[in-house]
């Protein structure tokens, strides 16, 4: 229903996201390049050309690290050219394609002793060959769109055309295929969009359907979220990133084919997400074991896995559902994930990353977790380094998520200082600009300038969290804004027409469904799209022993807000009346309910945006805070 | 400090445990025998003799299934002879020892292609060869004590004397050794106690110290809980059963050597258990991932792992700590585990078992758990069938946990109808008998009958949960009983002297330390040693949609008790005033804290003993129930 506006057509200007994106290009992408090289990710390619004597480094999916980083570069270069970065990447791409075999096959891991394992169906379930190629195709397309250089894209097409399509598929002479880690599905469809070759959609469809010749154990079917007809799924389960990427591929397939069986399944799965599986931060995938979705309502806080990649997958999926419908409920989830569970994944300085994104944290108690290095949740490198370049490509591509066009106009999805120079579906050039201090302020001024006056619709999103809204067109009230919907403003638009939006920035205290055990008796704070958290070092008594367990929010209190320009690159801080319960005395693990309550003193808690946590000294953190009724 | 009273010297008479033990011998042990055979556990031994053509069945540790079952039989035969069971077991033992190689080595898994892997140190970390032999030794000792038949014991001694001691150890010509899954340590010490050979204690000490020649990754050191000096441990962590068995072996080593470094470590670890890691059911090991201890206070309910074997390991360890001290705090933990987290592991009919023992359960939501078969938490067979025979050997050996002797008298640890016919440490025969309806009643009549009158001490345990106590000796009040201590009654005892104990059976509502996130705002019910739970099918509205999430205990209410002789083999049922919150309406996953509270209606909740849950139709269950203050 909606058409994507290319990244290059949108400029994000100074503001909330510009700061993050500047860090991304000046700090994250260069430092990740160095990390990738230091950990042998390019040596893997050089070794096969006799240019390196290093042994194979990293896990089976290590080629994808290079491809995801290349995709981040490709998106970045679509915004502005960076000649040095381009030269570096060009060189890397040449080393990659030099390893492609005459058959079209390309993978550095399955060589030498491992050569016989290539594309065996057992290997496909865990070997990530197609996952790597999927990321290669995405990186190649982004790079091609930025630079016009088809080197990597041609290599990707050779893999698909020469190696994959002739040899794998339903034909009698073709072999079995399973994606193992879904990713190839959406990249094949993007390749079809890029080249016009519909065979790629068909192959994606075959993979999404599952190859009936491959015997899979029930656990594999759950964990991999592929191998059986996607349309037979009824709930989110298994490895969260696999599951989200499968949903992305399936939505892309629906967008290309209109297959209603897919659409029915996708909506059922989305309802499961929204009703049972979504953290208030937009993160998904509660369980560390198997990096997996938990049961319905299983959303622990300190033990939350909430992998950065899964939150990204969630955003990518909701973006596709939005494209299919123009329904703002999907944008609400996208925005929730982007500002919170994704944005938390990269440190403010852009050099360290969270793999897990828990909603509560105690630095003294977490030493057993394998994703902490020396007790730190943010680290520059993980041997499975999926999340860092995934975050980089997300921020680099962000301008592509702000606007869409439709048959009858323009959609505005996200708010930040920005300028779109694009055209209506009928070809009329149109410029849409935003001026705002979003997300700290709810006021957004949009200027609409078509090249020539004409009637069309400006669809402006009213976020679900904004209960009272004001919309003015050229200074005059425009009625009809409803929370969680796009407001359709159909009129004759001419140059420098304005839309003034004013969203409700009241801080909301949220409760969770009582079936979410760990959130029971607790509230979370949200203001605009931003979810907040307490870090111990912002609290008045931050030297006390019991960390954050003693704070109790007073529901009869009023939240006050204060912008702190020097703190954490500039954040809104919330203050709220609370009680501090003296629970440092040792009651033991269990004690009689008849024991007198500990003494309480009045205090004020202070909260920072969740995305900014763990950017100072290690400290306890919590999003969900116990409350007491008035 | 305390000396064990042999199993054969104690008879448990009709009452709470006699019922369970009767089920164990008439149902569990025979049905598990059939399951073991049906799943090829004996074929593994027969195949190596050319008597079976079946391939190797089951995981690497499958030999231990046979040995643990043999140990259960051995304990059972110490209580009363069962000629058919003995014949069956004798035959199995002959098939086992027939497989022992001239070198002394015995293991059915590491044969054929796997022969070169035998006892490589890498294999030792995961291969369970010593774990299997440890269970073999325990089974052999129990069987020898019951029958005098040394067949299996001799084979075990040959493994240790001929294969292990000459080849493995610190010597220049000896190879590296690591237990991998601790178990061999405590069995070597029991073998030393049985044979008088101190070399076994020394070898156990070497293993407990860790072989410095084996390079282990940090995760292995945490997970296996061995491989570095036991005395360098400061907290419980890693695989819970491994950790508990390591603590058992270390306590046995302390008991034999008096090494104070061990004692210091053991007490530090016990404090960690008691302050941070113990479920109210006595279960331990919160995490499914790695079947492991979690962080401090990480005690989730629905997601609790609480493996039956870990609760058993906890009881075995506390029994050893009690033996070293006579301190009733260890007996309190033992009793908590036995009546609750262990007893829950076997169905009332003795034919199905829990692997996990969660403290909350929703049969509709748990289909993703690998220990559920067809949605059922109790199953007759698991391919890793460690828990079922472990439960069987525990119940079969229970009479050995009731009494001890000390330098100056007799300790009474557990209460149930029973009779000890043994002797004081000075050799004077003494009979101690109990008459009681414990755990439903707190009244226990103990009759003490020494063969000749004399002065000694009767140490009677006052449970930690019993706050008001009455003790009478020959009908006269005896002062000094304190909760959680042994009351020492020193006097001249003569035939048919009586001690009348009356413990406080008030139902306690317990709260947990606020750092236990999931228990916050909730209470658990305990009466005597029994922890209770709500099952949905006992509630007035058991057809309602939201399962148990709507019930709120009124702290100002009084618990009433009612014995139900026909229910669940006869249980005390608790009733308590509560509110039922109408939360079936769909609020979504998150909603404003300003949303009006759902309507509440007064109701009464009904609770059954936790150990008896999941013995009827599948139903939601919870131990920790939300409360509201008066």
């Amino acid at each position: 229903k909606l058409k994507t506006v290319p990244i290059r057509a949108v400029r994000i200007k100074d503001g909330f996201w510009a700061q993050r994106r500047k860090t991304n290009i000046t700090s994250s992408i260069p430092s990740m390049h160095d990390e990738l090289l230091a950990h042998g990710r390019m040596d893997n390619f050089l070794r096969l050309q006799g240019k390196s004597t290093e042994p194979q480094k990293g896990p089976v999916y290590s080629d994808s690290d290079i491809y995801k980083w290349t995709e981040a570069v490709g998106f970045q270069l679509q915004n502005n050219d960076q000649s040095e970065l381009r030269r570096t990447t060009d060189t890397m791409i040449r080393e990659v394609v030099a390893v492609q075999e005459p058959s079209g096959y390309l993978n550095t891991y399955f060589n030498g002793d491992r050569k016989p394992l290539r594309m065996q169906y057992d290997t496909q379930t865990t070997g990530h060959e197609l996952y790597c190629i999927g990321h290669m195709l995405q990186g190649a397309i982004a790079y091609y769109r930025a630079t016009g250089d088809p080197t990597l894209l041609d290599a990707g097409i050779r893999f698909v055309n020469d190696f994959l399509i002739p040899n794998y598929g339903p034909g009698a002479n073709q072999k079995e295929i399973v994606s193992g880690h879904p990713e190839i599905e959406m990249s094949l469809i993007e390749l079809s969009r890029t080249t016009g070759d519909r065979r790629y959609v068909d192959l994606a469809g075959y993979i999404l359907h599952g190859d009936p010749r491959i015997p899979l154990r029930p656990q594999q079917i759950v964990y991999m979220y592929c191998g059986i007809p996607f349309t037979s799924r009824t709930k989110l389960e298994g490895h969260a990133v696999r599951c989200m990427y499968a949903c992305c591929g399936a939505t892309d397939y629906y967008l290309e084919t209109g297959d209603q069986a897919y659409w029915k399944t996708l909506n059922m799965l989305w309802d499961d997400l929204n009703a049972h599986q979504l953290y208030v931060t937009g993160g998904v995938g509660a369980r560390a074991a198997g990096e997996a979705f938990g049961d319905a309502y299983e959303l622990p806080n300190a033990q939350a896995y909430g992998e950065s990649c899964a939150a990204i997958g969630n955003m990518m999926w909701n973006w596709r559902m939005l494209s299919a419908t123009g329904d703002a409920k999907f944008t609400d989830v996208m925005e929730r994930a982007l500002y919170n569970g994704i944005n938390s994944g990269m440190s403010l300085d852009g050099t360290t990353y969270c793999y897990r994104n828990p909603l509560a944290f105690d630095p003294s108690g977490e030493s057993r977790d394998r994703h902490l290095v020396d007790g730190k949740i943010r680290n520059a490198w993980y041997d499975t380094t999926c999340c860092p370049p995934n975050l980089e490509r997300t921020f680099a591509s962000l301008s592509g998520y702000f606007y869409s066009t439709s048959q009858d106009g323009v959609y505005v999805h996200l708010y930040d200082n920005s300028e779109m120079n694009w055209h209506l579906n009928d070809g009329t050039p149109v410029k849409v600009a935003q001026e705002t201090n979003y997300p700290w302020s709810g006021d957004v001024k949009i200027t609409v300038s078509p090249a020539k006056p004409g009637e069309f619709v400006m669809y402006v999103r009213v976020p679900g969290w904004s209960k009272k809204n004001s919309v003015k067109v050229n200074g005059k009230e425009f009625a009809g804004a409803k929370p969680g919907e796009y407001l359709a403003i159909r009129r004759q638009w001419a140059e420098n027409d304005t839309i003034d939006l004013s969203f409700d920035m009241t801080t909301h205290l949220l409760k969770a469904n009582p079936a979410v055990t760990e959130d029971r008796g607790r509230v979370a704070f949200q203001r605009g799209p931003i979810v907040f958290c307490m870090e111990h070092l912002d609290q008045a008594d931050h030297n006390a022993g019991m960390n954050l367990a003693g704070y109790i929010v007073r529901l009869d209190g009023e939240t006050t807000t204060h912008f702190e320009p020097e703190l954490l690159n500039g954040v809104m801080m919330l203050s709220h009346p609370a009680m501090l319960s003296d629970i440092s005395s040792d009651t033991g693990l269990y004690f009689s309910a008849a024991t007198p309550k500990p003494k309480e003193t009045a205090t004020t808690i202070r909260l920072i945006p969740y995305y900014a946590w763990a950017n100072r000294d290690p400290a306890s953190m919590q999003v969900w805070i116990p409350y007491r009724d008035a």
Side-chain angles (χ1 to χ4, degrees), chain A:
Chain A
K1 183 167 179 215
L2 305 190
K3 278 184 76 172
T4 299
V5 172
I7 289 172
R8 62 166 73 254
V10 180
R11 183 161 301 274
I12 296 179
K13 296 181 167 175
D14 271 2
F16 185 85
W17 287 116
Q19 188 177 32
R20 171 60 91 186
R21 284 158 56 82
K22 187 176 168 203
T23 306
N24 195 36
I25 183 63
T26 59
S27 179
S28 309
I29 290 175
S31 64
M32 183 49 52
H33 169 266
D34 296 348
E35 292 279 358
L36 290 169
L37 263 57
H39 292 91
R41 295 302 190 263
M42 281 309 298
D43 286 326
N44 291 343
F45 291 94
L46 297 173
R47 176 178 51 89
L48 296 177
Q49 304 170 55
K51 295 179 180 174
S52 166
T53 56
E54 291 292 314
Q56 171 76 26
K57 294 276 179 64
V60 65
Y61 32 75
S62 293
D63 290 358
S64 71
D65 303 340
I66 295 293
Y67 301 143
K68 258 193 275 190
W69 181 86
T70 303
E71 190 181 4
V73 171
F75 289 138
Q76 191 61 48
L77 297 181
Q78 290 179 47
N79 281 293
N80 25 30
D81 198 24
Q82 312 259 347
S83 55
E84 195 190 323
L85 181 59
R86 174 152 182 201
R87 266 195 307 279
T88 304
T89 314
D90 281 346
T91 310
M92 286 166 65
I93 287 173
R94 279 196 298 277
E95 304 295 0
V96 166
V97 301
V99 167
Q100 187 166 36
E101 301 182 10
S103 69
Y105 185 83
L106 199 172
N107 184 293
T108 71
Y109 189 88
F110 291 99
N111 278 291
D113 290 352
R114 299 190 187 109
K115 219 165 178 170
L117 300 174
R118 282 184 186 178
M119 290 293 286
Q120 297 297 314
Y121 72 73
D122 248 12
T123 307
Q124 291 183 45
T125 60
T126 57
H128 291 71
E129 288 158 292
L130 296 178
Y131 170 86
C132 287
I133 291 301
H135 277 300
M136 181 200 181
L137 290 171
Q138 289 181 326
I141 292 167
Y143 203 74
Y144 170 74
R145 287 182 184 156
T147 63
D149 180 345
T151 308
L152 192 60
L153 182 58
D154 285 347
I157 291 172
R158 274 198 300 281
F159 188 105
V160 178
N161 285 2
D162 299 353
F163 180 79
L164 209 53
I165 288 183
N167 296 315
Y168 298 88
N173 298 323
Q174 287 178 304
K175 281 175 275 191
E176 304 90 337
I177 187 165
V178 62
S179 58
H181 188 315
E183 158 66 25
I184 189 73
E185 301 87 339
M186 64 177 135
S187 62
L188 282 172
I189 292 172
E190 195 64 15
L191 186 64
S192 168
R193 290 170 182 154
T194 307
T195 62
D197 191 333
R198 293 287 297 182
R199 292 180 304 162
Y200 307 148
V201 175
D202 296 339
L203 180 56
Y206 185 70
I207 295 171
L208 283 163
H209 183 267
D211 193 319
R213 295 167 299 181
I214 301 183
L216 294 171
R217 297 187 302 279
Q219 294 100 314
Q220 289 180 298
I221 290 169
V222 169
Y223 175 73
M224 304 191 310
Y225 218 81
C226 59
I228 58 166
F230 183 86
T231 50
S232 69
R233 301 278 176 180
T234 57
K235 65 185 176 188
L236 304 179
E237 61 185 342
H239 186 263
V241 180
R242 282 172 167 81
C243 179
M244 290 292 97
Y245 284 12
C247 290
C248 288
T251 313
D252 281 340
Y253 186 75
Y254 164 72
L255 285 166
E256 295 302 315
T257 64
D259 187 325
Q260 287 300 315
Y262 277 81
W263 190 235
K264 198 176 86 181
T265 300
L266 287 162
N267 278 290
M268 179 185 285
L269 297 177
W270 191 88
D271 289 342
D272 187 31
L273 171 78
N274 193 55
H276 308 130
Q277 296 287 1
L278 184 68
Y279 276 105
V280 73
T281 57
V284 293
R287 286 191 188 168
E291 307 186 314
F293 281 100
D295 296 331
Y297 302 113
E298 181 188 336
L299 295 167
N301 293 315
Q303 300 306 321
Y305 200 68
E307 186 181 337
S308 298
C309 286
I312 291 169
N314 185 25
M315 176 172 160
M316 290 165 57
W317 178 33
N318 274 280
W319 168 249
R320 286 159 169 78
M321 296 295 281
L322 169 63
S323 297
T325 58
D327 189 332
K329 72 180 182 180
F330 302 116
T331 331
D332 276 347
V333 174
M334 247 181 69
E335 189 183 58
R336 185 178 289 285
L338 174 63
Y339 278 90
N340 304 292
I342 294 173
N343 203 19
S344 61
M346 185 189 279
S347 66
L348 294 177
D349 71 1
T351 60
T352 61
Y353 307 85
C354 289
Y355 195 111
R356 287 179 57 211
N357 293 274
L359 282 75
F361 187 74
D362 177 352
S364 69
E366 296 244 348
S367 56
R368 294 164 177 122
D369 190 281
R370 70 192 169 97
H371 289 301
L372 295 189
V373 181
D374 298 331
K376 291 199 292 275
I377 189 128
R378 295 191 185 277
N379 294 284
W381 178 257
Y382 299 94
D383 206 43
T384 292
T385 200
C386 52
C387 297
N390 215 348
L391 290 158
E392 291 163 11
R393 69 170 181 154
T394 302
F395 295 131
S397 64
L398 205 57
S399 41
Y401 291 99
F402 271 60
Y403 303 96
S404 298
T405 60
S406 65
Q407 205 50 47
D408 56 359
V410 176
Y411 276 72
V412 185
H413 305 304
L414 298 178
Y415 295 109
D416 200 352
N417 296 317
S418 58
E419 191 174 294
M420 176 190 92
N421 282 285
W422 192 235
H423 52 71
L424 301 176
N425 279 12
D426 68 9
T428 311
V430 62
K431 190 170 96 173
V432 177
Q434 295 185 43
E435 284 173 78
T436 181
N437 194 26
Y438 198 91
W440 310 127
S441 153
D443 296 336
V444 183
K445 183 187 207 67
I446 299 176
T447 307
V448 182
S449 296
K452 58 174 201 282
E455 183 181 315
F456 59 92
V457 185
M458 286 298 298
Y459 291 92
V460 293
R461 172 176 162 257
V462 182
W465 45 259
S466 178
K467 301 304 179 195
K468 290 176 194 160
N469 302 286
S470 150
V471 179
K472 290 180 185 163
V473 176
N474 292 335
K476 283 170 57 184
E477 282 293 342
F478 189 95
K482 288 192 195 133
E485 296 190 8
Y486 285 88
L487 176 65
I489 310 177
R490 176 184 295 275
R491 63 189 294 281
Q492 191 80 10
W493 294 97
E495 198 173 357
N496 289 325
D497 279 346
T498 60
I499 306 171
D500 283 289
L501 303 172
S502 186
F503 299 128
D504 177 7
M505 298 304 278
T506 307
T507 302
H508 293 286
L509 278 61
L510 300 179
K511 291 183 182 175
N513 188 303
V516 183
T517 320
E518 278 208 22
D519 297 346
R520 192 162 181 143
R522 293 175 182 251
V523 287
F525 287 73
Q526 182 173 347
R527 181 180 179 277
I530 305 278
V531 173
F532 285 75
C533 69
M534 288 176 74
E535 269 197 317
H536 202 198
L537 35 67
D538 295 315
Q539 313 311 319
D541 68 325
H542 68 272
N543 291 315
M546 276 300 286
N547 293 324
L548 295 171
Y551 292 96
I552 300 163
V553 169
R554 289 181 55 165
L555 287 195
D556 57 351
E558 288 287 324
T559 311
T560 56
T561 61
H562 185 245
F563 191 76
E564 298 273 359
E566 303 302 319
L567 182 67
L568 299 164
N569 288 0
V571 292
M572 196 66 79
M573 187 176 249
L574 307 184
S575 299
H576 193 95
M579 305 304 291
L580 179 56
S581 176
D582 176 22
I583 51 174
S584 55
S585 57
D586 185 17
T587 57
L589 195 46
Y590 305 109
F591 56 94
S592 167
T595 308
K597 280 213 181 103
K599 207 178 52 166
E600 289 180 359
T601 50
T603 187
T604 298
I605 56 167
R606 298 202 286 180
L607 301 98
I608 59 164
Y610 171 73
Y611 73 78
W613 85 282
N615 276 285
R616 295 171 291 177
D617 289 339
S620 294
M621 179 276 289
Q622 62 182 3
V623 170
W624 290 95
I625 311 168
Y627 69 83
R628 171 118 8 108
D629 283 313

